[in-house]
Amino acid sequence: MNAAARHAQRYERVARLMPLAEWDAHFEAIAAVEALKRERNAVVLAHNYQRPEIFHGIADFQGDSLELARQAARSTADVIVMCGVRFMAETAKLLAPGKTVLLPDLEAGCSLAESITPGDIRALRARHPCVPVVCYVNTSAAVKSECDACCTSSNAQLVVESFGAPEVIFVPDEYLAAHVAAHTSVRIIPWQGHCEVHERFTGQEVREYREASRAYVLAHPECPRDVQDAADYVGSTSGMIAALGRERPERAMLITECSMADNISGAFPDTEFLRPCNLCPHMQRITLAAVRASLESLRPAIEIPDSVAVGARRAVERMLDLGRPRGP
Ligand code: 13P
Ligand code: SF4
């Protein structure tokens, strides 16, 4: 199938979001990225919050943080383009150290990753000696290198309980920590980091919208506790997709980043997706133009010094090992 036919076929996935003329305006950039991918032997990984033209136009794999990390670890490409934020690109580099990992805009950060430093982890350890430290994947590689294990929103409880310890330090997301604490007997020692996108939702607005629309409500665990309490389902971005697949609701409200509902609406033609939602300014920095420039120049490439990479990789691999089937 040639590029034009492929482009026309993909329109089905975004037809609910944009007129054909808008999709066609992306054709030249999408075709250029596809050609560069072949030339560079590159793979494009896209988080569920990416713009629809990236998610449906150029991504080879889409998913939540855990799925993208797994894809990076098993990729055979020479170049990985992370259409996501910096901590995701760093995680990919930790798992695929021999590959070129591109983050098309280095300014694509994360308020959670900014909320804690390696020094903070050392201070927590001094205050709570012998207590294991679990860090959310939304942290810098330098912070990961100080922690015992990393987790994502889809395996946080599993990772916390894997230590068999009575208490665990869990950083940096206070609300994800509260979500885990509500589902485990392990005492959680939290940090006060927040996601600037999810902390803006309130329980009252969710209850009001829900009352007015009778929608099925799905919230990300980075939302405040009262928002989680007002939701029918709380889980990672891919967990939300799976829950929608099971429930097939007539109306759904995804209390998370706006692109998420846009990206999946084509797969759920019988579901009406309602607001509220908030945009992540960091995810939005990744554009087709930035991906194209990055594949042309092979920059900006992520580099992690060995002094950080060894410990950070251990923390990420401990998490991935928990999800692997055990041998006989
Ligand atoms: P997921 O792992 O659920 O995709 O979440 C990543 C993220 O940054 C949510 O804000
Ligand atoms: Fe970070 Fe929040 Fe953006 Fe996710 S949505 S990347 S947690 S700022």
Side-chain angles (χ1 to χ4, degrees):
M1 197 188 293
N2 67 25
R6 219 169 25 246
H7 187 76
Q9 195 184 55
R10 286 179 184 155
Y11 180 62
E12 262 176 47
R13 302 178 202 167
V14 294
R16 280 175 87 183
L17 305 178
M18 59 177 92
L20 183 58
E22 189 182 332
W23 180 241
D24 283 349
H26 295 303
F27 172 67
E28 201 251 319
I30 289 175
V33 169
E34 293 287 350
L36 282 161
K37 273 163 57 176
R38 285 191 294 277
E39 198 179 305
R40 301 292 198 189
N41 187 23
V43 68
V44 172
L45 308 185
H47 185 260
N48 291 326
Y49 294 163
Q50 286 292 290
R51 296 162 180 273
E53 61 271 22
I54 288 182
F55 192 86
H56 291 299
I58 58 168
D60 298 292
F61 298 99
Q62 301 115 330
D64 66 4
S65 307
L66 182 61
E67 290 161 341
L68 296 185
R70 286 195 177 125
Q71 283 301 341
R74 67 170 74 112
S75 174
T76 55
D78 295 321
V79 176
I80 295 174
V81 186
M82 181 55 75
C83 292
V85 294
R86 191 177 179 122
F87 74 81
M88 295 176 180
E90 285 188 350
T91 305
K93 183 68 182 176
L94 290 171
L95 295 169
K99 298 186 193 306
T100 300
V101 176
L102 302 173
L103 178 65
D105 187 330
L106 278 184
E107 297 295 311
C110 170
S111 65
L112 276 169
E114 291 298 315
S115 73
I116 193 157
T117 66
D120 293 327
I121 305 288
R122 290 192 290 272
L124 279 165
R125 282 199 192 275
R127 230 176 299 142
H128 304 280
C130 303
V131 176
V133 182
V134 173
C135 63
Y136 192 25
V137 71
N138 298 38
T139 44
S140 66
V143 164
K144 287 184 180 76
S145 73
E146 299 282 342
C147 298
D148 298 300
C150 159
C151 74
T152 75
S153 52
S154 52
N155 60 15
Q157 186 184 343
L158 181 74
V159 174
V160 161
E161 291 177 349
S162 71
F163 290 93
E167 49 183 8
V168 163
I169 297 168
F170 188 97
V171 299
D173 189 343
E174 182 184 6
Y175 301 133
L176 176 60
H179 179 65
V180 175
H183 292 87
T184 183
S185 57
V186 178
R187 191 173 88 85
I188 302 292
I189 301 168
W191 183 254
Q192 261 85 48
H194 299 146
C195 159
E196 67 189 85
V197 176
H198 291 90
E199 72 174 348
R200 303 213 304 269
F201 297 109
T202 68
Q204 187 173 338
E205 73 175 328
V206 173
R207 281 190 300 275
E208 282 170 10
Y209 276 107
R210 184 195 169 124
E211 191 68 25
S213 63
R214 304 265 157 226
Y216 183 69
V217 178
L218 304 97
H220 197 277
E222 290 168 11
C223 292
R225 199 71 196 127
D226 60 342
V227 172
Q228 297 183 28
D229 288 343
D232 297 294
Y233 172 84
V234 179
S236 79
T237 55
S238 291
M240 289 185 201
I241 298 172
L244 284 170
R246 288 190 301 272
E247 300 292 331
R248 298 272 160 191
E250 215 173 293
R251 285 191 207 93
M253 244 172 16
L254 268 54
I255 309 301
T256 188
E257 215 273 350
C258 301
S259 304
M260 170 88 191
D262 289 349
N263 287 335
I264 64 172
S265 62
F268 296 97
D270 302 325
T271 299
E272 183 189 357
F273 288 92
L274 307 173
R275 307 279 143 155
C277 66
N278 293 322
L279 278 172
C280 173
H282 308 288
M283 291 280 178
Q284 291 294 305
R285 293 189 83 95
I286 309 300
T287 60
L288 281 175
V291 174
R292 181 179 184 172
S294 159
L295 271 167
E296 275 163 357
S297 62
L298 291 183
R299 291 155 91 138
I302 299 290
E303 295 300 339
I304 303 172
D306 283 349
S307 55
V308 166
V310 173
R313 187 175 299 118
R314 197 184 310 121
V316 176
E317 282 180 345
R318 181 178 168 125
M319 164 183 83
L320 294 184
D321 284 347
L322 286 174
R324 287 192 184 114
R326 311 226 178 272

